[in-house]
Amino acid sequence: MTTRTTNASGPLSAVAQRAVPYLPLGLLAGLGAVLAFLWKAPCRFGGVWNTGVGQFTNFCYTDIYPLFWAEHLNEGKIPYVDYPVEYPVGIGGIMEFARRLAGGDGVRFYDITVILMGISLVAGVLLMAALAGPTRRWDALWYAIGPAVILCAYINWDLAAGALALGGLLAWARERQYLAGALLALAVATKFYPLMFFGALFLLTVRTAKWLPFLKTAGAAVLTWLVVNVPVMLINFEGWKRFYAFSSERGADWGGLWYFFQTKQWGFLADADSLNTMAMAVLAVLLLGVAALALLAPQRPRLMQLCFLALAAFMITNKVWSPQYVLWLVPFAVLARPKWGALAAWQIAECWYFFSIWLYLVSRDPEHANLGIGDTAYFLSVWARLITIVVLMALVVRDVLRPEQDAVRQGGVDDQSGGVFDQAPDRLVLLPATK
């Protein structure tokens, strides 16, 4: 008599087997989300949101809670339709979703938003791990439980854009170009910075002549962006354009080098009337440098290296550099160069800045100035953050020029997150490698 055994290796079993290695990372990302929520306990449970500088001295400030009133969500007004919002439509959509569930309660609005952002963090960590590949998936710990991530997770809605951007890049890595374009467009419609990643894709397309995949992605992105933006534009164009007008009109603000230049009156760099022109010009120079590197490097750079360099250039030239912007850069800094030394130094600088900005804001209140810090201490943290990021950029550039030193390109690995670029031969080589 023979006994027939059941083969459990069906499609669902295969999916489960692939998912199991990511389970610990997902749990740790959930832990990071909870720790970020507990960090806000003095505000969320202690009530210091409503006590002026208490939200700064307890280091638990968030934009989410006060914007419930500032954007008139407490009155039941719909973003863009009834009131202009200073964010792209993706965030407006999240606001509206949370508003409908909050029932006029600002704390509940915050809690619902935190749940959504916590889910975004877990998703982003898993997506980052998938981009890193099976041998480096634990690099995603920097995003799951990194100290700067925990401190800054719920200041704003940035984690949603991060999950969408990482999802789009993973779709590109899996050669699903239409999905990649759609997700990246949704990321741009939530926060503007993922636009930089299209430049990285374009540069590697020029180098490899993989035009059809890029055009599919770009076409899907344009269509998706129009689908989510045009209806709002048609309903209330003035409400929709508030984000773009605000971005153009705002002056130098906290965290940016331009704020330092204006505070210290550094000659023409302090000229407020020329701020937009100077910021765009410096960004253009840096992006041209990234383009030159991409096209002149003897070996094609990895996609994540170019994404990191372009995004870092965008951040250091921005008119404002809020503490939560660290959430933009963590996944790409790690994917570009997963070596602990420089990353740890940068994270220390980001944490330093996090505490400095709130104490600096305390010092702006004459009644509590003795509890805060002055210009010198604050601007030291601004420069420390900038310098550590510039050092990271320099190290990535060195890895591009000397790929044998790239921690990722070991054991025959080329570009595990590059999609069609992985192992692709160069079609355009402006500076051939020398033996």
Short mmCIF file of all heavy atoms in Angstrom, two decimals, residues 138-177:
data_model
loop_
_atom_site.label_atom_id
_atom_site.label_comp_id
_atom_site.label_asym_id
_atom_site.label_seq_id
_atom_site.Cartn_x
_atom_site.Cartn_y
_atom_site.Cartn_z
N TRP A 138 18.93 43.42 5.89
CA TRP A 138 18.99 43.97 7.25
C TRP A 138 19.48 45.40 7.30
O TRP A 138 19.41 46.06 8.34
CB TRP A 138 19.84 43.07 8.14
CG TRP A 138 19.11 41.81 8.50
CD1 TRP A 138 19.24 40.58 7.92
CD2 TRP A 138 18.09 41.67 9.49
NE1 TRP A 138 18.37 39.69 8.49
CE2 TRP A 138 17.66 40.32 9.46
CE3 TRP A 138 17.50 42.55 10.41
CZ2 TRP A 138 16.67 39.85 10.31
CZ3 TRP A 138 16.52 42.07 11.26
CH2 TRP A 138 16.11 40.74 11.20
N ASP A 139 19.98 45.92 6.17
CA ASP A 139 20.31 47.34 6.12
C ASP A 139 19.08 48.21 6.39
O ASP A 139 19.20 49.36 6.80
CB ASP A 139 20.90 47.71 4.76
CG ASP A 139 22.28 47.11 4.53
OD1 ASP A 139 22.95 46.78 5.54
OD2 ASP A 139 22.67 46.93 3.37
N ALA A 140 17.89 47.64 6.15
CA ALA A 140 16.65 48.39 6.38
C ALA A 140 16.40 48.71 7.84
O ALA A 140 15.49 49.48 8.16
CB ALA A 140 15.46 47.62 5.79
N LEU A 141 17.19 48.13 8.74
CA LEU A 141 17.07 48.48 10.16
C LEU A 141 17.30 49.97 10.39
O LEU A 141 16.75 50.55 11.34
CB LEU A 141 18.06 47.67 10.99
CG LEU A 141 17.66 46.24 11.36
CD1 LEU A 141 18.79 45.56 12.12
CD2 LEU A 141 16.39 46.25 12.20
N TRP A 142 18.13 50.59 9.56
CA TRP A 142 18.36 52.03 9.70
C TRP A 142 17.05 52.81 9.57
O TRP A 142 16.89 53.87 10.18
CB TRP A 142 19.33 52.52 8.62
CG TRP A 142 20.76 52.16 8.87
CD1 TRP A 142 21.47 51.12 8.33
CD2 TRP A 142 21.69 52.84 9.72
NE1 TRP A 142 22.76 51.11 8.77
CE2 TRP A 142 22.93 52.16 9.63
CE3 TRP A 142 21.60 53.96 10.54
CZ2 TRP A 142 24.06 52.58 10.33
CZ3 TRP A 142 22.72 54.37 11.25
CH2 TRP A 142 23.93 53.68 11.13
N TYR A 143 16.15 52.30 8.75
CA TYR A 143 14.85 52.95 8.54
C TYR A 143 13.83 52.48 9.56
O TYR A 143 12.94 53.24 9.96
CB TYR A 143 14.37 52.65 7.13
CG TYR A 143 13.30 53.57 6.58
CD1 TYR A 143 13.21 54.91 6.98
CD2 TYR A 143 12.38 53.12 5.65
CE1 TYR A 143 12.24 55.74 6.46
CE2 TYR A 143 11.40 53.95 5.12
CZ TYR A 143 11.33 55.26 5.52
OH TYR A 143 10.36 56.08 5.01
N ALA A 144 13.95 51.25 10.02
CA ALA A 144 12.96 50.68 10.93
C ALA A 144 13.06 51.27 12.33
O ALA A 144 12.04 51.66 12.92
CB ALA A 144 13.11 49.15 10.98
N ILE A 145 14.27 51.33 12.87
CA ILE A 145 14.45 51.77 14.25
C ILE A 145 15.59 52.77 14.39
O ILE A 145 16.18 52.91 15.46
CB ILE A 145 14.68 50.57 15.20
CG1 ILE A 145 15.83 49.70 14.69
CG2 ILE A 145 13.41 49.75 15.36
CD1 ILE A 145 16.22 48.59 15.66
N GLY A 146 15.92 53.45 13.32
CA GLY A 146 16.95 54.49 13.40
C GLY A 146 16.52 55.59 14.36
O GLY A 146 15.34 55.98 14.38
N PRO A 147 17.42 56.12 15.17
CA PRO A 147 17.03 57.13 16.16
C PRO A 147 16.41 58.37 15.55
O PRO A 147 15.41 58.89 16.08
CB PRO A 147 18.35 57.45 16.88
CG PRO A 147 19.43 56.96 15.97
CD PRO A 147 18.85 55.79 15.24
N ALA A 148 16.95 58.86 14.46
CA ALA A 148 16.39 60.06 13.83
C ALA A 148 15.00 59.78 13.26
O ALA A 148 14.13 60.65 13.25
CB ALA A 148 17.33 60.57 12.74
N VAL A 149 14.79 58.56 12.78
CA VAL A 149 13.47 58.19 12.26
C VAL A 149 12.45 58.20 13.39
O VAL A 149 11.33 58.73 13.24
CB VAL A 149 13.52 56.81 11.58
CG1 VAL A 149 12.12 56.34 11.19
CG2 VAL A 149 14.42 56.86 10.35
N ILE A 150 12.79 57.62 14.52
CA ILE A 150 11.87 57.59 15.66
C ILE A 150 11.55 59.00 16.15
O ILE A 150 10.40 59.32 16.47
CB ILE A 150 12.47 56.73 16.79
CG1 ILE A 150 12.49 55.26 16.38
CG2 ILE A 150 11.68 56.91 18.09
CD1 ILE A 150 13.25 54.36 17.32
N LEU A 151 12.54 59.87 16.18
CA LEU A 151 12.32 61.23 16.65
C LEU A 151 11.42 62.03 15.71
O LEU A 151 10.62 62.86 16.15
CB LEU A 151 13.66 61.95 16.79
CG LEU A 151 14.61 61.44 17.88
CD1 LEU A 151 15.93 62.19 17.82
CD2 LEU A 151 13.99 61.58 19.26
N CYS A 152 11.53 61.79 14.41
CA CYS A 152 10.89 62.66 13.41
C CYS A 152 9.70 62.03 12.70
O CYS A 152 9.08 62.68 11.85
CB CYS A 152 11.92 63.08 12.36
SG CYS A 152 13.33 64.00 13.02
N ALA A 153 9.34 60.80 13.04
CA ALA A 153 8.38 60.05 12.24
C ALA A 153 7.05 60.76 12.08
O ALA A 153 6.45 60.75 11.00
CB ALA A 153 8.17 58.67 12.87
N TYR A 154 6.54 61.37 13.15
CA TYR A 154 5.17 61.90 13.11
C TYR A 154 5.12 63.43 13.21
O TYR A 154 4.15 63.99 13.69
CB TYR A 154 4.34 61.28 14.24
CG TYR A 154 4.33 59.76 14.20
CD1 TYR A 154 4.46 59.01 15.36
CD2 TYR A 154 4.20 59.08 12.98
CE1 TYR A 154 4.45 57.62 15.32
CE2 TYR A 154 4.20 57.70 12.94
CZ TYR A 154 4.32 56.97 14.10
OH TYR A 154 4.33 55.60 14.07
N ILE A 155 6.15 64.08 12.71
CA ILE A 155 6.10 65.54 12.64
C ILE A 155 5.18 65.97 11.49
O ILE A 155 4.47 66.98 11.60
CB ILE A 155 7.50 66.13 12.44
CG1 ILE A 155 8.37 65.86 13.69
CG2 ILE A 155 7.44 67.62 12.18
CD1 ILE A 155 9.80 66.35 13.56
N ASN A 156 5.17 65.22 10.42
CA ASN A 156 4.41 65.58 9.23
C ASN A 156 3.99 64.29 8.52
O ASN A 156 4.04 63.21 9.12
CB ASN A 156 5.26 66.51 8.34
CG ASN A 156 4.44 67.40 7.43
OD1 ASN A 156 3.98 66.96 6.39
ND2 ASN A 156 4.25 68.65 7.79
N TRP A 157 3.63 64.39 7.26
CA TRP A 157 3.11 63.25 6.51
C TRP A 157 4.16 62.61 5.60
O TRP A 157 3.83 61.90 4.65
CB TRP A 157 1.92 63.71 5.66
CG TRP A 157 0.69 64.05 6.44
CD1 TRP A 157 -0.38 63.22 6.69
CD2 TRP A 157 0.35 65.30 7.04
NE1 TRP A 157 -1.34 63.88 7.43
CE2 TRP A 157 -0.92 65.16 7.66
CE3 TRP A 157 1.00 66.53 7.14
CZ2 TRP A 157 -1.55 66.19 8.35
CZ3 TRP A 157 0.37 67.57 7.84
CH2 TRP A 157 -0.89 67.39 8.42
N ASP A 158 5.43 62.83 5.87
CA ASP A 158 6.50 62.42 4.96
C ASP A 158 6.60 60.92 4.75
O ASP A 158 7.02 60.46 3.69
CB ASP A 158 7.84 62.96 5.48
CG ASP A 158 7.83 64.46 5.60
OD1 ASP A 158 7.25 64.97 6.58
OD2 ASP A 158 8.40 65.14 4.74
N LEU A 159 6.25 60.12 5.75
CA LEU A 159 6.39 58.67 5.62
C LEU A 159 5.50 58.10 4.51
O LEU A 159 5.85 57.08 3.91
CB LEU A 159 6.06 57.99 6.95
CG LEU A 159 7.11 58.14 8.04
CD1 LEU A 159 6.57 57.66 9.38
CD2 LEU A 159 8.39 57.39 7.67
N ALA A 160 4.39 58.74 4.24
CA ALA A 160 3.52 58.27 3.15
C ALA A 160 4.21 58.40 1.81
O ALA A 160 4.19 57.48 0.98
CB ALA A 160 2.20 59.04 3.15
N ALA A 161 4.85 59.54 1.58
CA ALA A 161 5.59 59.74 0.33
C ALA A 161 6.74 58.76 0.23
O ALA A 161 7.04 58.24 -0.86
CB ALA A 161 6.09 61.18 0.24
N GLY A 162 7.40 58.48 1.35
CA GLY A 162 8.51 57.54 1.34
C GLY A 162 8.08 56.15 0.92
O GLY A 162 8.76 55.49 0.12
N ALA A 163 6.95 55.68 1.45
CA ALA A 163 6.46 54.35 1.08
C ALA A 163 6.11 54.29 -0.40
O ALA A 163 6.42 53.30 -1.09
CB ALA A 163 5.25 53.97 1.94
N LEU A 164 5.47 55.33 -0.91
CA LEU A 164 5.11 55.36 -2.33
C LEU A 164 6.35 55.39 -3.22
O LEU A 164 6.42 54.69 -4.24
CB LEU A 164 4.22 56.56 -2.62
CG LEU A 164 2.80 56.50 -2.06
CD1 LEU A 164 2.13 57.88 -2.13
CD2 LEU A 164 1.97 55.47 -2.81
N ALA A 165 7.34 56.20 -2.84
CA ALA A 165 8.57 56.30 -3.65
C ALA A 165 9.32 54.98 -3.66
O ALA A 165 9.78 54.51 -4.71
CB ALA A 165 9.45 57.42 -3.11
N LEU A 166 9.46 54.35 -2.50
CA LEU A 166 10.15 53.07 -2.43
C LEU A 166 9.38 51.99 -3.18
O LEU A 166 9.97 51.13 -3.83
CB LEU A 166 10.36 52.66 -0.97
CG LEU A 166 11.39 53.51 -0.20
CD1 LEU A 166 11.26 53.29 1.30
CD2 LEU A 166 12.80 53.20 -0.68
N GLY A 167 8.05 52.05 -3.09
CA GLY A 167 7.24 51.11 -3.87
C GLY A 167 7.43 51.28 -5.36
O GLY A 167 7.53 50.31 -6.11
N GLY A 168 7.50 52.54 -5.80
CA GLY A 168 7.73 52.79 -7.22
C GLY A 168 9.08 52.29 -7.69
O GLY A 168 9.20 51.69 -8.76
N LEU A 169 10.10 52.49 -6.88
CA LEU A 169 11.44 52.04 -7.26
C LEU A 169 11.56 50.52 -7.20
O LEU A 169 12.28 49.91 -7.99
CB LEU A 169 12.48 52.71 -6.37
CG LEU A 169 12.63 54.22 -6.63
CD1 LEU A 169 13.47 54.87 -5.56
CD2 LEU A 169 13.23 54.49 -8.01
N LEU A 170 10.84 49.88 -6.27
CA LEU A 170 10.83 48.42 -6.27
C LEU A 170 10.11 47.88 -7.50
O LEU A 170 10.55 46.88 -8.09
CB LEU A 170 10.17 47.89 -4.99
CG LEU A 170 10.14 46.37 -4.87
CD1 LEU A 170 11.54 45.78 -4.87
CD2 LEU A 170 9.38 45.93 -3.62
N ALA A 171 9.03 48.54 -7.89
CA ALA A 171 8.34 48.14 -9.12
C ALA A 171 9.28 48.27 -10.32
O ALA A 171 9.30 47.41 -11.21
CB ALA A 171 7.08 48.98 -9.33
N TRP A 172 10.08 49.34 -10.35
CA TRP A 172 11.07 49.48 -11.42
C TRP A 172 12.08 48.34 -11.35
O TRP A 172 12.44 47.75 -12.38
CB TRP A 172 11.79 50.82 -11.30
CG TRP A 172 12.93 50.94 -12.27
CD1 TRP A 172 14.22 50.58 -12.07
CD2 TRP A 172 12.84 51.40 -13.62
NE1 TRP A 172 14.96 50.79 -13.20
CE2 TRP A 172 14.15 51.30 -14.18
CE3 TRP A 172 11.82 51.90 -14.42
CZ2 TRP A 172 14.43 51.67 -15.48
CZ3 TRP A 172 12.10 52.28 -15.73
CH2 TRP A 172 13.39 52.16 -16.25
N ALA A 173 12.55 48.02 -10.14
CA ALA A 173 13.52 46.94 -9.98
C ALA A 173 12.97 45.61 -10.47
O ALA A 173 13.72 44.77 -10.98
CB ALA A 173 13.95 46.82 -8.52
N ARG A 174 11.66 45.41 -10.33
CA ARG A 174 11.02 44.16 -10.77
C ARG A 174 10.53 44.27 -12.22
O ARG A 174 9.79 43.40 -12.69
CB ARG A 174 9.85 43.84 -9.84
CG ARG A 174 10.26 43.64 -8.39
CD ARG A 174 11.07 42.38 -8.18
NE ARG A 174 11.71 42.32 -6.87
CZ ARG A 174 11.11 41.93 -5.74
NH1 ARG A 174 9.84 41.58 -5.76
NH2 ARG A 174 11.78 41.89 -4.61
N GLU A 175 10.91 45.35 -12.90
CA GLU A 175 10.61 45.59 -14.32
C GLU A 175 9.10 45.69 -14.57
O GLU A 175 8.60 45.24 -15.60
CB GLU A 175 11.26 44.52 -15.20
CG GLU A 175 12.79 44.52 -15.06
CD GLU A 175 13.48 43.62 -16.06
OE1 GLU A 175 12.89 43.36 -17.13
OE2 GLU A 175 14.60 43.17 -15.78
N ARG A 176 8.42 46.30 -13.65
CA ARG A 176 6.99 46.61 -13.82
C ARG A 176 6.89 48.13 -13.99
O ARG A 176 6.57 48.88 -13.08
CB ARG A 176 6.19 46.11 -12.63
CG ARG A 176 6.31 44.60 -12.43
CD ARG A 176 5.52 44.11 -11.23
NE ARG A 176 4.09 44.29 -11.41
CZ ARG A 176 3.17 44.00 -10.50
NH1 ARG A 176 3.57 43.48 -9.32
NH2 ARG A 176 1.90 44.19 -10.72
N GLN A 177 7.20 48.57 -15.21
CA GLN A 177 7.42 49.99 -15.45
C GLN A 177 6.17 50.85 -15.29
O GLN A 177 6.25 51.98 -14.79
CB GLN A 177 8.02 50.21 -16.84
CG GLN A 177 9.48 49.81 -16.95
CD GLN A 177 9.68 48.38 -17.41
OE1 GLN A 177 8.79 47.81 -18.03
NE2 GLN A 177 10.83 47.79 -17.10
#
